[in-house]
């Protein structure tokens, strides 16, 4: 099972449609679940915001899940490496969870729970765009693993 947990909703209907399309494509290869957790209104105490969002995400994660944070400070990874990582992780883990933070990032408790952090790019994206890029890359991973052609 692949789980994608994202803080906040996708508000743009066109972006949501693209994300749904890739989610459907991934589901042909593997069971996938997308979970949205409520984001906190931004206020002066950013740590409190991050802590509350992290708490909501952690409630959705079981102890046996391998957790990968999408983080600007994470390890760079390319598409082939991500495909190989997914393939190898499924040998020892039945549940693989990707977490996309909110507009302020990721809380400390969530960072401590994670098994690793990766970054999809050196560029900074809205978390809604990050969700689209992640879903496309998961789909691309399955195309790579199945030796299927995919446009470049």
């Amino acid at each position: 099972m692949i789980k994608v947990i994202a803080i906040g909703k996708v508000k743009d209907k066109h972006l949501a449609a693209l994300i749904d399309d890739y989610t459907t494509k991934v589901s042909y290869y593997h069971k996938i679940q997308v979970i949205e957790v409520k984001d906190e209104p931004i206020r002066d105490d950013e740590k409190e915001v991050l802590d509350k969002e992290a708490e909501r995400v952690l409630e959705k994660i079981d102890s046996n899940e391998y957790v990968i944070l999408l983080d600007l400070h994470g390890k760079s990874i390319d598409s082939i490496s991500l495909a190989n990582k997914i393939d190898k992780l499924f040998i020892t883990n039945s549940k693989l969870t990707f977490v996309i933070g909110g507009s302020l990032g990721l809380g400390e408790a969530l960072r401590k729970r994670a098994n690793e952090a990766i970054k999809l790019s050196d560029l900074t994206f809205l978390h809604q765009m990050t969700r689209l890029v992640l879903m496309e890359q998961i789909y691309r991973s399955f195309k790579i693993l199945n030796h299927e052609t995919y446009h470049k």
Side-chain angles (χ1 to χ4, degrees), residues 40-148:
E40 277 292 302
I42 296 175
R43 52 186 174 274
D44 289 338
D45 189 352
E46 289 186 2
K47 183 183 180 313
E48 182 182 353
V49 171
L50 292 171
D51 288 347
K52 285 189 177 193
E53 290 177 344
E55 184 179 311
R56 288 184 187 125
V57 170
L58 289 168
E59 289 173 356
K60 307 293 183 187
I61 298 173
D62 295 330
S63 61
N64 63 338
E65 293 177 38
Y66 190 94
V67 178
I68 300 175
L69 302 181
L70 274 67
D71 185 14
L72 283 173
H73 307 290
K75 179 183 172 195
S76 291
I77 192 166
D78 61 29
S79 297
I80 293 173
S81 297
L82 179 62
N84 290 331
K85 177 179 287 299
I86 288 171
D87 192 38
K88 287 178 183 166
L89 285 171
F90 278 136
I91 293 170
T92 56
N93 301 278
S94 61
K95 294 182 181 178
L96 175 58
T97 300
F98 292 91
V99 178
I100 302 168
S103 57
L104 295 178
L106 300 156
E108 190 58 33
L110 195 48
R111 290 183 184 283
K112 288 180 180 174
R113 168 58 182 91
N115 296 89
E116 67 179 293
I118 62 171
K119 66 177 174 178
L120 298 176
S121 172
D122 286 331
L123 300 171
T124 303
F125 300 113
L126 294 170
H127 64 279
Q128 297 173 19
M129 290 294 296
T130 301
R131 195 179 323 181
L132 175 60
V133 172
L134 175 63
M135 294 306 298
E136 190 278 338
Q137 286 298 301
I138 293 171
Y139 174 65
R140 184 179 295 269
S141 292
F142 283 109
K143 296 296 268 186
I144 290 168
L145 293 171
N146 288 285
H147 308 288
E148 298 173 0

